[in-house]
Amino acid sequence: MSKVVYLPLDERPCNYLFPQQLAKMTDLQMAVPGLGILGSKKKPADTAAVRQWLLEAAQDTDVLLVSIDMLVYGGIVPSRLHHLSLEECIRRISVLGDIKRSYPSIKIHAFNLIMRVPNNNKDEEEPDYYKFHGGQIFKYSYLTDKSERDGLSEAERRELENLQEMIPKPYLHDFIERRVINQGINHYALQLAKDGIIDHLIIPLDDNSQYGFSSREQRRMICRVEELGIMDRVMIYPGADEIGCTMFSHIFCQLKNYKPEIFVRYSSTQGPTIKPKYEDRSLNESIKSHVTASGALMTDHSFETPLVLVVHSPAIDQAGMAEQIPFKDRHRSYFSEIHYKETVEAMQNYLRKGKLVALGDVAICNGGDPVLMKLLKQKGLLDQLTAYAGWNTSGNTLGTVISHFIIISYYMGQAENNIIHESRKFYYHRLVEDFIYQSLVRQDMLENDLPRLNASYYLIGHCLDEVHAILAAKMKSAVVQYLGNIKEGQIRIENLHFPWVRMFEIGFELEID
């Protein structure tokens, strides 16, 4: 039995637990570090303990799956806050070379983010000054890159000059210098790939846009990849918190010598060409990357494969793409350019033909689309799909649903009951969090419960017990309403909590009785 040693991006369930849940539906073993050394949000992991754990775990394994952000900086948020020198960062990443030299047969799969530049004034996961100057830093980044690539209008040139005066120089220097260090480590990782220390490397672009520091850094890295001749083992595309799942799927396919083909069908005609929020390229190009990085291929026709990925896609670019808002308030394209009924009937027809159908729900951000999900419930299809995701960004959703779809497709028709059981648990876990919590319960609590508790999206710590009680009651009621009659049995959710003491995500345990 093959063993995968996994060092996650951070301690949240999406990074720590999701890949473990995927591993449970296989015959592979996965080893992870204890949560005690992984830090918490802005508090970095104990990187010395992480390196020691990795050295010890490597003695008895076939594959390493390593977050370089965790290894070097102590997690995704600490990668945006640290004041480490490039020399210290290189010393920390050098453990990968030590492991490869000691155990040459080990395959090292690694990922390291291109640091984001959020377009907001929030310091929740950024340096403290981002609360006051975040939007300005984003626009400075955007206009600086646009100036180099395509030039600026006179108004844009004046705006850039004003931004240079408005942003305090120490803050801008701090932000840019950290990016220089992080890019240095990214380029060092490319050299490790060239030298054969890293066998497979993904560089995800965390929350990026058409122009900006991330886009500029990406171009330089792609050119360096081509120059080094390592395009066969390096991928660069939008993503972040789903990469652990994606790379585990890739490892699984390599170990099983499995290369499935997936047909992709969209709910909107314009869907393949739309640039989703927080990304810099068309949806179809991103899907190519997610499918390829996960170990599969896209095929041209549905009759060529038993695997159909239905992508519930937006029909409007970033500015008009909906968040979790009432249906009546969405952009007009949601009424005229997305065909809900036809999409559901198509899914029903694929199922009737014996296809395995997965749903990537990316028409809106930060949760599934209640309009589509309610229609699926009306048609009795919520327990008929093989895989689902609809959380956060398009990349987070697609990487999660595709990796699950690929892994379980290998076992369909031959799987033991425990493998199918773990797969169904993961499927319902995604429905419960991505649709029921993010789209329904969270919105209900934000509107009807938090105001009377003097709480808000990021401020619930002072009334956490009350918020937990409300969450548990509303989640259990909604699970009964939407998933109370599934064919597998009764869904039970326990230990509901907020991993980072905010409303953005939840953690919980799910069982099917």
Side-chain angles (χ1 to χ4, degrees):
M1 181 183 294
S2 296
K3 178 181 175 183
V4 178
V5 167
Y6 172 52
L7 182 64
L9 180 57
D10 65 29
E11 74 285 357
R12 286 173 297 159
C14 58
N15 290 309
Y16 188 75
L17 291 180
F18 288 11
Q20 292 185 69
Q21 291 169 331
L22 292 181
K24 282 184 178 179
M25 63 184 78
T26 75
D27 58 356
L28 307 184
Q29 291 183 330
M30 177 176 281
V32 297
L35 283 170
I37 66 172
L38 292 187
S40 178
K41 201 176 180 179
K42 287 190 172 185
K43 177 186 175 183
D46 182 342
T47 53
V50 164
R51 289 195 301 279
Q52 185 59 37
W53 175 84
L54 200 60
L55 281 167
E56 293 174 1
Q59 297 175 20
D60 181 30
T61 192
D62 306 287
V63 181
L64 294 186
L65 173 48
V66 178
S67 163
I68 293 174
D69 288 288
M70 173 60 75
L71 180 64
V72 174
Y73 314 115
I76 185 172
V77 175
S79 75
R80 306 165 187 160
L81 305 173
H82 72 87
H83 294 94
L84 300 169
S85 68
L86 181 60
E87 291 73 22
E88 173 61 18
C89 293
I90 289 174
R91 185 187 71 80
R92 294 182 179 188
I93 198 177
S94 66
V95 68
L96 298 180
D98 296 339
I99 290 171
K100 194 73 168 185
R101 284 184 287 273
S102 297
Y103 312 103
S105 64
I106 283 182
K107 298 296 182 183
I108 299 179
H109 299 248
F111 59 103
N112 198 40
L113 308 184
I114 292 180
M115 193 176 87
R116 71 181 189 176
V117 189
N119 185 16
N120 58 52
N121 287 334
K122 296 177 182 177
D123 63 349
E124 175 77 8
E125 301 178 29
E126 317 301 327
D128 293 346
Y129 54 76
Y130 221 84
K131 182 176 182 179
F132 307 101
H133 301 285
Q136 295 171 350
I137 291 173
F138 170 83
K139 200 58 185 287
Y140 176 86
S141 161
Y142 185 96
L143 292 175
T144 300
D145 185 41
K146 189 170 187 284
S147 175
E148 293 179 2
R149 289 165 56 185
D150 301 323
L152 301 178
S153 66
E154 183 59 28
E156 288 174 326
R157 187 187 61 77
R158 288 195 301 270
E159 182 180 11
L160 180 57
E161 291 175 352
N162 290 335
L163 287 168
Q164 290 171 325
E165 296 297 322
M166 294 166 62
I167 305 170
K169 287 181 172 52
Y171 297 160
L172 189 59
H173 176 78
D174 174 77
F175 192 81
I176 291 175
E177 283 304 301
R178 185 174 297 107
R179 299 195 72 89
V180 171
I181 299 298
N182 291 11
Q183 262 307 89
I185 288 300
N186 273 337
H187 281 271
Y188 191 82
L190 294 182
Q191 189 60 50
L192 293 181
K194 173 65 174 178
D195 295 341
I197 292 171
I198 294 177
D199 298 278
H200 175 218
L201 177 66
I202 293 182
I203 308 289
L205 291 100
D206 187 12
D207 288 2
N208 64 310
S209 59
Q210 182 178 2
Y211 297 104
F213 292 148
S214 297
S215 179
R216 180 169 59 184
E217 292 162 8
Q218 175 195 197
R219 294 194 305 275
R220 292 172 179 172
M221 292 199 70
I222 290 174
C223 291
R224 183 60 175 160
V225 167
E226 196 281 329
E227 181 181 302
L228 291 172
I230 53 174
M231 203 166 284
D232 61 327
R233 71 200 80 159
V234 179
M235 292 187 68
I236 304 174
Y237 64 92
D241 293 321
E242 80 293 339
I243 297 295
C245 293
T246 297
M247 297 193 78
F248 177 73
S249 174
H250 182 97
I251 291 165
F252 175 86
C253 288
Q254 281 195 336
L255 292 174
K256 300 297 185 183
N257 194 27
Y258 181 51
K259 181 69 76 170
E261 296 182 350
I262 299 174
F263 175 68
V264 180
R265 192 190 200 277
Y266 294 87
S267 64
S268 60
T269 301
Q270 298 183 60
T273 64
I274 293 299
K275 289 187 179 70
K277 275 187 178 180
Y278 314 115
E279 299 194 359
D280 68 341
R281 66 199 66 192
S282 67
L283 181 57
N284 197 57
E285 286 303 318
S286 285
I287 289 175
K288 288 180 186 178
S289 293
H290 287 288
V291 170
T292 303
S294 298
L297 295 169
M298 288 173 62
T299 190
D300 297 328
H301 303 285
S302 63
F303 62 77
E304 295 177 340
T305 177
L307 308 183
V308 176
L309 172 66
V310 175
V311 178
H312 181 39
S313 47
I316 184 68
D317 269 333
Q318 299 169 347
M321 190 175 171
E323 298 275 348
Q324 289 295 337
I325 58 176
F327 186 54
K328 63 182 178 62
D329 296 331
R330 296 182 190 176
H331 186 271
R332 64 170 183 81
S333 63
Y334 285 86
F335 311 106
S336 59
E337 294 291 340
I338 296 176
H339 207 306
Y340 287 88
K341 187 173 187 296
E342 190 274 343
T343 299
V344 171
E345 291 193 358
M347 294 169 72
Q348 198 168 24
N349 194 47
Y350 287 130
L351 290 166
R352 194 178 296 122
K353 292 179 177 180
K355 305 282 188 183
L356 302 180
V357 179
L359 174 58
D361 194 354
V362 298
I364 57 179
C365 293
N366 293 306
D369 186 346
V371 179
L372 177 65
M373 300 308 290
K374 290 175 182 178
L375 187 54
L376 287 170
K377 174 177 167 50
Q378 289 175 355
K379 292 289 187 179
L381 299 181
L382 282 184
D383 61 357
Q384 303 299 309
L385 305 182
T386 299
Y388 171 82
W391 65 290
N392 205 8
T393 68
S394 172
N396 293 154
T397 285
L398 292 168
T400 305
V401 69
I402 290 169
S403 56
H404 179 199
F405 198 32
I406 289 170
I407 289 169
I408 196 57
S409 72
Y410 176 83
Y411 291 103
M412 293 309 251
Q414 59 169 329
E416 299 176 4
N417 288 337
N418 67 307
I419 288 177
I420 296 297
H421 182 69
E422 292 297 334
S423 175
R424 298 314 285 166
K425 282 174 58 177
F426 190 74
Y427 169 69
Y428 288 117
H429 197 284
R430 302 275 33 86
L431 281 179
V432 168
E433 182 169 7
D434 301 359
F435 166 49
I436 290 177
Y437 174 67
Q438 295 194 20
S439 305
L440 303 177
V441 172
R442 181 172 62 185
Q443 309 312 310
D444 182 9
M445 292 178 66
L446 289 171
E447 182 177 353
N448 298 309
D449 299 302
L450 296 195
R452 62 182 173 81
L453 296 172
N454 195 28
S456 60
Y457 199 90
Y458 294 110
L459 186 64
I460 59 174
H462 66 286
C463 56
L464 197 55
D465 289 342
E466 295 98 318
V467 176
H468 275 154
I470 295 168
L471 173 69
K474 292 192 171 184
M475 287 294 291
K476 289 177 181 179
S477 175
V479 167
V480 170
Q481 179 183 352
Y482 286 95
L483 301 173
N485 297 307
I486 62 170
K487 61 187 178 182
E488 290 90 349
Q490 295 296 313
I491 289 177
R492 175 166 48 90
I493 54 174
E494 303 290 346
N495 299 323
L496 283 151
H497 64 281
F498 300 96
W500 277 2
V501 194
R502 62 182 188 178
M503 297 295 292
F504 188 77
E505 67 271 282
I506 55 173
F508 60 95
E509 297 170 10
L510 182 147
E511 293 294 337
I512 305 174
D513 299 324

